[in-house]
């Protein structure tokens, strides 16, 4: 019997059980393209049903690329570069060339120094053991630099298949929809996209002109980013939807910032200085005295300090001590939440975030 696949998410279609993943009514299977019930609901009602995912299956899909002769396109989210990297990627793709797509440039303010940012992306990739054939900086959602992406893929694939890989929610499927819109008259999205991680469920094969294929893949899940722990309702408050408006705080020592109820930033010691927060514009930032911070957290978590509404569902906070030596401007990155740009002053800081969430420093990006 012919096996049907959902055009929107790649899942195998079944018509027996509406409660199970991949359901589509039997009468829908005669159509040229089939959409599963879950994709239908995402597209028409913006509702998502979380699906129990098997991380190993996604890694197996990825590892199978090593034995193919193809172009690998890694899509990363510029807002969460380190958190959207696939661990051990360089070992998984064999000798295939890698084109790096840094997506979501629309989130960066106009003051961004693009040349420096691109150089930083190259360098970061090299630090992770990968030598991209090219870096494309684009916005798939806003259709920025998509012509460059089409040309780069065509140039580097040299008649081969193209695998689009990355962690969840970086915009892989939006990117493919954007490519399709760029080269055809197609105005509608072909693949289902959503603000929730875990939208694509299996490989989706899109035929190319020369008989080869472009393959969308399910995102690799990384639990060390805040965005993976957010309930669907709260995601829009945490994941930025529009250009970041940096918030500047002139802090004295012994002052604290709460980022919703996800993280806490203590300026313990140092001269008065500005801290510039690059977070979702909709995330509430609460400023207080360090001496009162514990009390405020006890009283107001899940209330004033939201999201999350239910902080108990997240791992307990872990303290990350950070010392700025004043020699170089640094960003302190809380994966999936954003970053704080620090000036060229000495400072002793403590950042609190749920245990397991990556907290890192890097040279200032903007
Ligand atoms: N701001 C911004 N958002 C984007 C961009 N591209 C994609 N997004 C958003 O990112 C979210 C995830 O997009 P998808 O295309 O579903 O991501 P994916 O990588 O296919 O995710 P999975 O299928 O879960 O692995 C959606 O809300 C998109 O609208 C972009 O260029 N800029
Ligand atoms: Mg997808």
């Amino acid at each position: 019997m012919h096996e049907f696949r959902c055009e929107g998410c790649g899942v195998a279609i079944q018509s027996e059980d509406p409660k199970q993943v991949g359901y589509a009514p039997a009468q829908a299977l005669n159509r040229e393209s089939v959409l599963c019930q879950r994709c239908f609901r995402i597209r028409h009602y913006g509702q998502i049903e979380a699906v129990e995912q098997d991380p190993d299956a996604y890694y197996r899909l990825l590892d199978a690329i090593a034995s193919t002769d193809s172009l690998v396109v890694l899509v990363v989210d510029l807002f969460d570069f380190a958190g959207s990297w696939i661990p051990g990627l360089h070992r998984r793709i064999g000798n295939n060339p890698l084109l790096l797509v840094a997506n979501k440039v629309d989130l960066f303010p106009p003051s961004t120094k693009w040349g420096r940012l691109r150089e930083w992306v190259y360098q970061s990739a090299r630090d992770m053991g990968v030598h991209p054939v090219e870096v494309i900086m684009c916005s798939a959602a806003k259709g920025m630099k998509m012509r460059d992406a089409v040309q780069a893929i065509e140039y580097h694939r040299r008649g081969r298949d193209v695998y689009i890989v990355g962690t969840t929610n970086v915009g892989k499927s939006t990117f493919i929809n954007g490519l399709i819109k760029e080269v055809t008259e197609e105005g509608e999205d072909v693949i289902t996209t959503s603000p929730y991680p875990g939208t694509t469920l299996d490989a989706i094969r899109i035929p190319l002109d020369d008989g080869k294929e472009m393959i969308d893949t399910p995102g690799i899940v990384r639990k060390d980013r805040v965005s993976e722990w957010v309930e669907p309702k709260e995601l829009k408050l945490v994941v930025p939807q529009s250009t970041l408006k940096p918030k500047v705080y002139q802090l004295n020592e012994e002052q604290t910032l709460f980022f919703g109820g996800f993280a806490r930033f203590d300026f313990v010691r140092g001269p008065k200085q500005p801290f510039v927060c690059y977070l979702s514009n909709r995330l509430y930032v609460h400023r207080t005295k360090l001496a009162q911070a514990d009390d405020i957290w006890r009283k107001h978590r899940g209330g004033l300090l939201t999201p999350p509404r239910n902080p108990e569902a997240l791992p307990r906070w872990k303290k990350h001590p950070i010392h700025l030596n004043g020699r170089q401007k640094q960003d302190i990155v809380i994966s999936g939440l954003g970053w704080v740009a620090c000036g060229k002053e000495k400072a002793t800081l403590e950042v609190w975030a749920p245990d397991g969430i990556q907290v890192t420093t890097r040279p200032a990006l903007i």
Side-chain angles (χ1 to χ4, degrees), residues 6-24:
C6 172
E7 182 190 68
C9 70
V11 76
I13 292 286
Q14 52 90 13
S15 299
E16 286 81 49
D17 187 352
K19 292 204 175 66
Q20 296 293 322
V21 66
Y23 178 77

Side-chain angles (χ1 to χ4, degrees), residues 8 23 26 73 131 153 162 172 199 222-223 238 307 310-311 316-317 334 346:
Y23 178 77
V73 176
H131 295 267
I153 290 174
V162 184
K172 298 177 294 302
T199 305
R222 275 191 63 171
K223 283 286 180 195
V238 175
N310 180 15
R316 284 181 77 86
W317 277 2
I334 305 170
K346 283 190 179 168

Side-chain angles (χ1 to χ4, degrees), residues 171 201 244 259 335:
L201 296 180
L244 301 172
F259 304 141
S335 199

Side-chain angles (χ1 to χ4, degrees), residues 172-174 191-193 199-200 216-219:
K172 298 177 294 302
S173 302
T174 308
I191 305 178
T192 306
T193 66
T199 305
T200 307
D216 191 8
T217 59

Side-chain angles (χ1 to χ4, degrees), residues 1 27-28 30 42 51 75 90 111 136 143 159 176 178 218 220-221 240 242 259 264 270-271 297 319 355 359:
M1 210 186 89
Q27 62 267 30
N30 305 321
I42 294 175
V51 173
V75 181
H90 56 295
S111 58
I136 297 290
I176 298 180
I220 297 292
V221 181
S242 52
F259 304 141
R264 171 178 151 182
W297 173 242
K319 185 169 79 176
D355 194 7
V359 176

Side-chain angles (χ1 to χ4, degrees), residues 81-83 85-86 88-91 122-131 222:
F81 185 88
W85 198 266
I86 298 177
L89 179 76
H90 56 295
R91 291 190 301 270
Y122 264 114
Q123 189 52 46
S124 307
R126 286 194 286 263
D127 291 346
M128 313 258 201
V130 164
H131 295 267
R222 275 191 63 171

